[in-house]
């Protein structure tokens, strides 16, 4: 029967986690129809069936880790249905059939017990495993539970729920003597503090691993500067209504200014647009700028392509589209790979200053922060309240020297403080 296998995802992605089965055993499947949602290190992707028919078997459960090329389901010929009740019946029937192959029914309970004991002994002698779902086996290994000691339901297939039930019964039996002893002794210690323990999502684990790799494998430094946002805020105020009319409702935000300023600075300091590959340094001749987007599942960084060729409105549109796709969990792998530089804006959460961590193999990342009105010395005799923003550039010192890092950040500052010059640059 045709197997559904995990397809090639991306060059750096070799495995994923079953997030949700979109089809169940017994359901009809069309060719090219999605049957499972797979969570990868970057985005969720849907895996489709290459054949039409009926979903006969699931070879992995939700939460299981699967590798590229691994078979995860079997599609057979015929027509099925889309009701969970029928799926359950077919699953139970299949499990019963498998059970009947190993053990013939008998008329008396005594004979059945005898036959079962012989079958179990024979199974153990032959090194065969208990009939259990893949997720139940994995779960039992994690919990240190012997599957042979777990009592399944009537269909003789051990599932995760049976493992849980077996563990609870074991814990109850172990805790009863301890409870009796505790009644005899006065309480001398405070009860343990309440905690919630839960498994990290694949994306969080991957992010944690990559951030640690960046920290361990780069000579990362951060340099700071501050920007007087007066002129760019005045420009936005003067032009925002006309900009919306001219560009079909698109709003003029700060991100397009900083993106265009970053492109100009990258052209002036090409080392910042580079990365190390083994013993080689690769200087990129394109300007795909990553924009960090906060979602329920964590921070994602999709890339706005060819920012040097886009105007302010096109950049604002693209940022808005990518942010919406990120929050709707519709980003594709193409949106998340092969960027050259990243901008993150902690200011939207109220951050006044931070040291952002470099994104992957890139050489640097620009951090924006809150705009805060502060007294600023205009000259030796004048102090004015101005809207100020701290900016940070974290960079890999193996590629970028301090002089270039400071010059890059100074270029950003000068262009944002003089937005007319930025328009000429772009």
């Amino acid at each position: 029967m045709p197997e559904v296998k995990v397809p090639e995802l991306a060059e750096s992605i070799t495995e994923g986690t079953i997030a949700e089965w979109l089809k169940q055993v017994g359901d009809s499947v069309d060719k090219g129809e999605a049957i499972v949602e797979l969570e990868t290190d970057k985005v969720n992707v849907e895996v489709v069936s290459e054949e039409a028919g009926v979903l006969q078997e699931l070879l992995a459960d939700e939460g299981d880790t699967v590798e590229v090329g691994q078979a995860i389901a079997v599609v057979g010929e015929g027509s099925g249905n889309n009701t969970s009740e029928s799926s359950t019946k077919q699953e139970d029937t299949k499990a019963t059939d498998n059970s009947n192959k190993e053990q013939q029914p008998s008329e008396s309970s005594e004979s059945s017990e005898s036959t079962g004991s012989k079958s179990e002994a024979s199974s153990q002698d032959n090194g065969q495993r208990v009939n259990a779902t893949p997720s139940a086996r994995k779960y039992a290994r994690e919990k240190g539970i012997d599957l042979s000691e777990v009592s399944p339901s009537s269909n003789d297939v051990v599932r995760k729920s049976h493992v849980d039930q077996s563990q609870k019964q074991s814990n109850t039996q172990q805790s009863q003597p301890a409870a009796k002893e505790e009644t005899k002794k006065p309480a001398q210690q405070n009860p343990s503090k309440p905690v919630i323990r839960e498994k990290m999502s694949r994306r969080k684990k991957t992010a944690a691993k990559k951030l640690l790799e960046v920290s361990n494998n780069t000579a990362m430094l951060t340099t700071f500067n501050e920007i007087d946002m007066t002129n760019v805020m005045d420009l936005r105020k003067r032009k925002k209504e006309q900009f919306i009319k001219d560009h079909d409702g698109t709003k003029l935000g700060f991100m397009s200014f900083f993106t265009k300023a970053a492109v100009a600075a990258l052209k002036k300091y090409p080392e910042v647009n580079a990365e190390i590959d083994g013993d080689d340094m690769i200087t990129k001749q394109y300007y795909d700028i990553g924009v960090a987007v906060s979602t329920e599942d964590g921070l994602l960084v999709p890339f706005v392509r060819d920012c040097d060729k886009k105007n302010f409105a096109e950049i604002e549109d693209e940022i808005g589209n990518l942010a919406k796709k990120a929050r709707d969990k519709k980003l594709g792998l193409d949106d998340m790979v092969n960027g050259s530089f990243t901008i993150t804006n902690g200011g939207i959460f109220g951050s006044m200053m931070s040291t952002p961590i470099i994104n992957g193999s890139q050489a640097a990342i620009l951090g924006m922060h809150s705009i805060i009105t502060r007294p600023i010395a205009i000259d030796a005799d004048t102090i004015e309240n101005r809207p100020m923003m701290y900016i940070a550039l974290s960079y890999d010192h193996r590629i970028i020297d301090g002089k270039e890092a400071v010059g890059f950040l100074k270029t950003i500052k000068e262009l944002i403080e003089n937005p007319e010059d930025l328009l000429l640059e772009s």
Side-chain angles (χ1 to χ4, degrees):
M1 290 187 183
E3 293 179 332
V4 179
K5 297 183 178 181
V6 179
E8 293 288 340
L9 301 169
E11 184 178 352
S12 60
I13 299 178
T14 59
E15 62 180 20
T17 299
I18 301 293
E20 180 184 3
W21 282 105
L22 306 177
K23 293 284 187 177
Q24 297 298 323
V25 173
D27 288 353
S28 297
V29 178
D30 294 329
K31 184 176 181 180
E33 185 177 11
I35 65 169
V36 64
E37 184 178 3
L38 194 67
E39 183 184 41
T40 71
D41 297 347
K42 298 181 182 294
V43 295
N44 285 18
V45 295
E46 291 183 344
V47 179
V48 302
S49 173
E50 299 295 332
E51 302 289 339
V54 177
L55 188 58
Q56 299 284 359
E57 185 178 2
L58 304 182
L59 304 179
D61 284 353
E62 292 179 2
D64 286 358
T65 298
V66 292
E67 298 180 352
V68 170
Q70 178 179 336
I72 55 176
V74 177
V75 175
E77 296 181 355
S79 60
N81 55 74
N82 291 312
T83 64
S84 59
E85 181 179 353
S86 296
S87 298
T88 303
K89 287 181 180 178
Q90 290 201 22
E91 204 170 8
D92 289 347
T93 301
K94 181 184 172 186
T96 303
D97 291 343
N98 289 338
S99 177
N100 289 339
K101 290 179 183 178
E102 298 177 0
Q103 179 178 323
Q104 294 297 326
S106 60
E107 296 179 359
S108 66
S109 60
E110 181 179 353
S111 175
S112 177
E113 291 176 3
S114 174
T115 305
S117 300
K118 290 179 182 179
S119 176
E120 183 179 354
S122 174
S123 175
Q124 290 176 352
D125 291 342
N126 293 333
Q128 295 177 1
R129 298 189 298 175
V130 176
N131 191 13
T133 63
S135 63
R137 296 187 189 281
K138 179 182 176 184
Y139 191 57
R141 286 196 301 271
E142 292 174 351
K143 297 291 184 180
I145 295 174
D146 187 353
L147 279 176
S148 64
E149 298 176 358
V150 178
S151 300
S153 58
S154 58
N155 61 14
D156 292 335
V157 179
V158 175
R159 304 184 184 280
K160 287 178 67 176
S161 58
H162 302 138
V163 178
D164 267 333
Q165 185 177 3
S166 177
Q167 185 184 34
K168 288 178 181 178
Q169 291 175 351
S170 176
N171 291 342
T172 301
Q173 292 172 359
Q174 293 176 4
S175 63
Q176 284 177 351
K180 292 179 181 179
E181 291 181 5
E182 287 177 2
T183 57
K184 298 178 183 178
K185 298 179 181 180
Q188 297 179 349
Q189 296 181 351
N190 292 330
S192 60
K193 301 293 184 182
V195 298
I196 297 176
R197 182 185 294 272
E198 57 184 353
K199 203 169 185 179
M200 291 177 66
S201 68
R202 164 171 292 278
R203 202 159 294 154
K204 283 187 177 294
K205 287 192 293 185
T206 301
K209 179 181 177 182
K210 290 187 175 180
L211 290 174
L212 188 60
E213 286 178 354
V214 169
S215 179
N216 291 335
N217 298 330
T218 62
M220 193 173 72
L221 296 176
T222 305
T223 186
F224 300 90
N225 212 320
E226 62 178 359
I227 298 177
D228 184 345
M229 300 291 289
T230 302
N231 291 336
V232 73
M233 291 175 73
D234 287 346
L235 177 61
R236 286 183 68 227
K237 186 176 180 179
R238 294 196 314 269
K239 300 292 185 180
K240 66 178 182 179
E241 297 298 333
Q242 189 61 44
F243 192 88
I244 291 173
K245 291 179 181 178
D246 292 344
H247 300 287
D248 298 325
T250 299
K251 295 181 180 179
L252 181 60
F254 287 123
M255 284 305 301
S256 54
F257 284 93
F258 276 90
T259 300
K260 297 299 284 187
V263 170
L266 288 170
K267 290 180 177 180
K268 188 174 182 180
Y269 297 95
E271 299 91 344
V272 185
N273 204 33
E275 67 176 65
I276 290 177
D277 182 19
D279 293 330
D280 299 329
M281 187 174 81
I282 300 173
T283 303
K284 299 165 186 175
Q285 302 296 302
Y286 57 90
Y287 304 92
D288 294 349
I289 308 299
V291 180
V293 178
S294 178
T295 71
E296 292 180 355
D297 297 329
L299 199 67
L300 298 176
V301 185
F303 292 95
V304 181
R305 307 296 180 183
D306 300 319
C307 290
D308 56 323
K309 301 174 184 177
K310 288 183 168 67
N311 60 32
F312 281 70
E314 290 170 332
I315 290 173
E316 291 289 354
D317 275 339
E318 187 67 13
I319 291 173
N321 291 336
L322 290 172
K324 186 177 186 304
K325 287 171 67 176
R327 296 185 180 107
D328 293 342
K329 298 182 180 180
K330 294 183 178 179
L331 283 175
L333 290 173
D334 291 342
D335 296 322
M336 303 282 290
V337 296
N338 299 327
S340 61
F341 185 75
T342 297
I343 302 174
T344 181
N345 184 5
I348 60 176
F349 304 112
S351 173
M352 183 178 178
M353 185 179 291
S354 68
T355 56
I357 297 180
I358 298 169
N359 183 22
S361 60
Q362 295 175 12
I365 181 171
L366 176 67
M368 300 165 56
H369 300 93
S370 295
I371 300 172
I372 299 175
T373 301
R374 292 189 282 115
I376 300 297
I378 304 302
D379 53 42
D381 301 316
T382 308
I383 295 178
E384 292 183 6
N385 288 330
R386 293 291 183 94
M388 303 299 294
M389 176 194 286
Y390 286 117
I391 55 173
L393 182 76
S394 292
Y395 61 98
D396 189 344
H397 205 357
R398 299 176 303 164
I399 304 175
I400 305 167
D401 291 332
K403 178 182 177 181
E404 283 71 29
V406 171
F408 179 92
L409 214 53
K410 186 180 177 184
T411 300
I412 298 287
K413 170 184 171 68
E414 291 171 347
L415 289 172
I416 297 297
E417 290 184 342
N418 299 279
E420 289 81 6
D421 294 344
L422 181 57
L423 293 173
L424 292 175
E425 284 283 347
S426 60

mmCIF file of all heavy atoms in Angstrom, residues 82-106:
data_model
loop_
_atom_site.group_PDB
_atom_site.id
_atom_site.type_symbol
_atom_site.label_atom_id
_atom_site.label_comp_id
_atom_site.label_asym_id
_atom_site.label_seq_id
_atom_site.Cartn_x
_atom_site.Cartn_y
_atom_site.Cartn_z
ATOM 1 N N ASN A 82 -15.776 10.427 6.769
ATOM 2 C CA ASN A 82 -15.099 11.486 7.509
ATOM 3 C C ASN A 82 -15.600 11.609 8.935
ATOM 4 O O ASN A 82 -15.499 12.644 9.546
ATOM 5 C CB ASN A 82 -15.289 12.828 6.801
ATOM 6 C CG ASN A 82 -14.537 12.870 5.497
ATOM 7 O OD1 ASN A 82 -13.371 12.515 5.444
ATOM 8 N ND2 ASN A 82 -15.214 13.275 4.432
ATOM 9 N N THR A 83 -16.218 10.565 9.465
ATOM 10 C CA THR A 83 -16.707 10.621 10.834
ATOM 11 C C THR A 83 -15.735 9.950 11.760
ATOM 12 O O THR A 83 -15.170 8.914 11.450
ATOM 13 C CB THR A 83 -18.072 9.919 10.954
ATOM 14 O OG1 THR A 83 -17.910 8.534 10.669
ATOM 15 C CG2 THR A 83 -19.078 10.523 10.009
ATOM 16 N N SER A 84 -15.535 10.557 12.912
ATOM 17 C CA SER A 84 -14.602 10.005 13.886
ATOM 18 C C SER A 84 -15.095 8.675 14.412
ATOM 19 O O SER A 84 -14.320 7.797 14.776
ATOM 20 C CB SER A 84 -14.428 10.993 15.051
ATOM 21 O OG SER A 84 -15.670 11.254 15.665
ATOM 22 N N GLU A 85 -16.453 8.470 14.417
ATOM 23 C CA GLU A 85 -17.011 7.229 14.938
ATOM 24 C C GLU A 85 -16.581 6.066 14.065
ATOM 25 O O GLU A 85 -16.158 5.017 14.556
ATOM 26 C CB GLU A 85 -18.533 7.336 14.975
ATOM 27 C CG GLU A 85 -19.209 6.085 15.541
ATOM 28 C CD GLU A 85 -20.714 6.235 15.573
ATOM 29 O OE1 GLU A 85 -21.202 7.341 15.283
ATOM 30 O OE2 GLU A 85 -21.393 5.250 15.893
ATOM 31 N N SER A 86 -16.677 6.265 12.731
ATOM 32 C CA SER A 86 -16.283 5.204 11.820
ATOM 33 C C SER A 86 -14.807 4.944 11.915
ATOM 34 O O SER A 86 -14.347 3.812 11.810
ATOM 35 C CB SER A 86 -16.659 5.585 10.383
ATOM 36 O OG SER A 86 -18.046 5.696 10.243
ATOM 37 N N SER A 87 -14.011 6.025 12.089
ATOM 38 C CA SER A 87 -12.570 5.868 12.226
ATOM 39 C C SER A 87 -12.244 5.013 13.429
ATOM 40 O O SER A 87 -11.393 4.132 13.378
ATOM 41 C CB SER A 87 -11.906 7.242 12.363
ATOM 42 O OG SER A 87 -12.133 8.000 11.213
ATOM 43 N N THR A 88 -12.960 5.273 14.532
ATOM 44 C CA THR A 88 -12.702 4.525 15.752
ATOM 45 C C THR A 88 -13.062 3.064 15.563
ATOM 46 O O THR A 88 -12.348 2.162 15.998
ATOM 47 C CB THR A 88 -13.517 5.119 16.915
ATOM 48 O OG1 THR A 88 -13.179 6.478 17.052
ATOM 49 C CG2 THR A 88 -13.235 4.389 18.208
ATOM 50 N N LYS A 89 -14.217 2.813 14.876
ATOM 51 C CA LYS A 89 -14.630 1.439 14.656
ATOM 52 C C LYS A 89 -13.616 0.689 13.811
ATOM 53 O O LYS A 89 -13.275 -0.459 14.095
ATOM 54 C CB LYS A 89 -16.000 1.418 13.959
ATOM 55 C CG LYS A 89 -17.152 1.825 14.886
ATOM 56 C CD LYS A 89 -18.481 1.768 14.149
ATOM 57 C CE LYS A 89 -19.637 2.165 15.061
ATOM 58 N NZ LYS A 89 -20.930 2.158 14.334
ATOM 59 N N GLN A 90 -13.114 1.338 12.750
ATOM 60 C CA GLN A 90 -12.148 0.676 11.888
ATOM 61 C C GLN A 90 -10.860 0.409 12.631
ATOM 62 O O GLN A 90 -10.225 -0.615 12.461
ATOM 63 C CB GLN A 90 -11.874 1.535 10.642
ATOM 64 C CG GLN A 90 -13.057 1.577 9.701
ATOM 65 C CD GLN A 90 -12.635 1.972 8.292
ATOM 66 O OE1 GLN A 90 -11.473 1.816 7.943
ATOM 67 N NE2 GLN A 90 -13.569 2.443 7.505
ATOM 68 N N GLU A 91 -10.471 1.368 13.468
ATOM 69 C CA GLU A 91 -9.243 1.203 14.243
ATOM 70 C C GLU A 91 -9.389 0.035 15.210
ATOM 71 O O GLU A 91 -8.498 -0.796 15.356
ATOM 72 C CB GLU A 91 -8.948 2.491 15.003
ATOM 73 C CG GLU A 91 -7.485 2.643 15.340
ATOM 74 C CD GLU A 91 -7.203 4.025 15.863
ATOM 75 O OE1 GLU A 91 -8.159 4.778 16.095
ATOM 76 O OE2 GLU A 91 -6.019 4.339 16.034
ATOM 77 N N ASP A 92 -10.574 -0.020 15.884
ATOM 78 C CA ASP A 92 -10.817 -1.100 16.819
ATOM 79 C C ASP A 92 -10.881 -2.437 16.114
ATOM 80 O O ASP A 92 -10.387 -3.452 16.606
ATOM 81 C CB ASP A 92 -12.131 -0.858 17.578
ATOM 82 C CG ASP A 92 -11.999 0.301 18.562
ATOM 83 O OD1 ASP A 92 -10.848 0.707 18.808
ATOM 84 O OD2 ASP A 92 -13.033 0.795 19.055
ATOM 85 N N THR A 93 -11.538 -2.463 14.920
ATOM 86 C CA THR A 93 -11.642 -3.698 14.156
ATOM 87 C C THR A 93 -10.273 -4.196 13.745
ATOM 88 O O THR A 93 -9.965 -5.386 13.834
ATOM 89 C CB THR A 93 -12.501 -3.463 12.894
ATOM 90 O OG1 THR A 93 -13.782 -3.027 13.300
ATOM 91 C CG2 THR A 93 -12.630 -4.742 12.083
ATOM 92 N N LYS A 94 -9.429 -3.264 13.308
ATOM 93 C CA LYS A 94 -8.076 -3.642 12.903
ATOM 94 C C LYS A 94 -7.283 -4.212 14.061
ATOM 95 O O LYS A 94 -6.593 -5.205 13.948
ATOM 96 C CB LYS A 94 -7.357 -2.425 12.337
ATOM 97 C CG LYS A 94 -5.951 -2.751 11.873
ATOM 98 C CD LYS A 94 -5.286 -1.500 11.419
ATOM 99 C CE LYS A 94 -3.828 -1.814 11.151
ATOM 100 N NZ LYS A 94 -3.090 -0.633 10.843
ATOM 101 N N ALA A 95 -7.413 -3.529 15.198
ATOM 102 C CA ALA A 95 -6.701 -4.006 16.381
ATOM 103 C C ALA A 95 -7.195 -5.376 16.798
ATOM 104 O O ALA A 95 -6.420 -6.250 17.198
ATOM 105 C CB ALA A 95 -6.885 -3.012 17.520
ATOM 106 N N THR A 96 -8.531 -5.610 16.677
ATOM 107 C CA THR A 96 -9.094 -6.906 17.032
ATOM 108 C C THR A 96 -8.596 -7.981 16.081
ATOM 109 O O THR A 96 -8.268 -9.101 16.495
ATOM 110 C CB THR A 96 -10.628 -6.835 16.982
ATOM 111 O OG1 THR A 96 -11.057 -5.796 17.860
ATOM 112 C CG2 THR A 96 -11.250 -8.154 17.424
ATOM 113 N N ASP A 97 -8.518 -7.632 14.779
ATOM 114 C CA ASP A 97 -8.005 -8.589 13.804
ATOM 115 C C ASP A 97 -6.578 -8.983 14.129
ATOM 116 O O ASP A 97 -6.212 -10.150 14.045
ATOM 117 C CB ASP A 97 -8.076 -7.997 12.390
ATOM 118 C CG ASP A 97 -9.520 -7.864 11.924
ATOM 119 O OD1 ASP A 97 -10.395 -8.510 12.533
ATOM 120 O OD2 ASP A 97 -9.751 -7.097 10.960
ATOM 121 N N ASN A 98 -5.758 -7.993 14.462
ATOM 122 C CA ASN A 98 -4.370 -8.279 14.815
ATOM 123 C C ASN A 98 -4.299 -9.181 16.039
ATOM 124 O O ASN A 98 -3.463 -10.078 16.140
ATOM 125 C CB ASN A 98 -3.615 -6.986 15.094
ATOM 126 C CG ASN A 98 -3.382 -6.197 13.831
ATOM 127 O OD1 ASN A 98 -3.410 -6.754 12.746
ATOM 128 N ND2 ASN A 98 -3.152 -4.889 13.971
ATOM 129 N N SER A 99 -5.201 -8.915 16.977
ATOM 130 C CA SER A 99 -5.218 -9.716 18.199
ATOM 131 C C SER A 99 -5.634 -11.139 17.903
ATOM 132 O O SER A 99 -5.092 -12.096 18.450
ATOM 133 C CB SER A 99 -6.166 -9.084 19.213
ATOM 134 O OG SER A 99 -6.236 -9.882 20.370
ATOM 135 N N ASN A 100 -6.628 -11.311 16.999
ATOM 136 C CA ASN A 100 -7.129 -12.644 16.680
ATOM 137 C C ASN A 100 -6.086 -13.488 15.971
ATOM 138 O O ASN A 100 -6.098 -14.707 16.057
ATOM 139 C CB ASN A 100 -8.385 -12.549 15.812
ATOM 140 C CG ASN A 100 -9.588 -12.027 16.598
ATOM 141 O OD1 ASN A 100 -9.593 -12.110 17.830
ATOM 142 N ND2 ASN A 100 -10.588 -11.496 15.901
ATOM 143 N N LYS A 101 -5.174 -12.815 15.237
ATOM 144 C CA LYS A 101 -4.120 -13.558 14.553
ATOM 145 C C LYS A 101 -3.187 -14.230 15.551
ATOM 146 O O LYS A 101 -2.647 -15.286 15.315
ATOM 147 C CB LYS A 101 -3.317 -12.625 13.643
ATOM 148 C CG LYS A 101 -4.102 -12.150 12.441
ATOM 149 C CD LYS A 101 -3.255 -11.215 11.611
ATOM 150 C CE LYS A 101 -4.055 -10.682 10.438
ATOM 151 N NZ LYS A 101 -3.265 -9.716 9.636
ATOM 152 N N GLU A 102 -2.995 -13.577 16.693
ATOM 153 C CA GLU A 102 -2.070 -14.087 17.684
ATOM 154 C C GLU A 102 -2.752 -15.035 18.662
ATOM 155 O O GLU A 102 -2.127 -15.894 19.262
ATOM 156 C CB GLU A 102 -1.454 -12.925 18.465
ATOM 157 C CG GLU A 102 -0.650 -11.997 17.588
ATOM 158 C CD GLU A 102 -0.122 -10.840 18.375
ATOM 159 O OE1 GLU A 102 -0.399 -10.779 19.590
ATOM 160 O OE2 GLU A 102 0.571 -9.993 17.793
ATOM 161 N N GLN A 103 -4.097 -14.896 18.843
ATOM 162 C CA GLN A 103 -4.775 -15.662 19.885
ATOM 163 C C GLN A 103 -6.174 -16.052 19.426
ATOM 164 O O GLN A 103 -6.971 -15.208 19.070
ATOM 165 C CB GLN A 103 -4.854 -14.808 21.162
ATOM 166 C CG GLN A 103 -5.572 -15.508 22.304
ATOM 167 C CD GLN A 103 -5.573 -14.634 23.528
ATOM 168 O OE1 GLN A 103 -4.613 -13.946 23.790
ATOM 169 N NE2 GLN A 103 -6.649 -14.670 24.258
ATOM 170 N N GLN A 104 -6.498 -17.348 19.383
ATOM 171 C CA GLN A 104 -7.809 -17.822 18.987
ATOM 172 C C GLN A 104 -8.763 -17.758 20.165
ATOM 173 O O GLN A 104 -8.389 -18.054 21.296
ATOM 174 C CB GLN A 104 -7.713 -19.279 18.497
ATOM 175 C CG GLN A 104 -6.895 -19.423 17.211
ATOM 176 C CD GLN A 104 -7.523 -18.695 16.056
ATOM 177 O OE1 GLN A 104 -8.741 -18.635 15.969
ATOM 178 N NE2 GLN A 104 -6.716 -18.143 15.182
ATOM 179 N N PRO A 105 -10.042 -17.378 19.967
ATOM 180 C CA PRO A 105 -10.994 -17.309 21.071
ATOM 181 C C PRO A 105 -11.333 -18.698 21.599
ATOM 182 O O PRO A 105 -11.330 -19.669 20.852
ATOM 183 C CB PRO A 105 -12.218 -16.638 20.438
ATOM 184 C CG PRO A 105 -12.102 -16.933 18.987
ATOM 185 C CD PRO A 105 -10.641 -16.964 18.687
ATOM 186 N N SER A 106 -11.619 -18.807 22.886
ATOM 187 C CA SER A 106 -12.017 -20.066 23.510
ATOM 188 C C SER A 106 -13.342 -19.880 24.219
ATOM 189 O O SER A 106 -13.751 -18.766 24.502
ATOM 190 C CB SER A 106 -10.954 -20.537 24.497
ATOM 191 O OG SER A 106 -10.784 -19.575 25.510
#
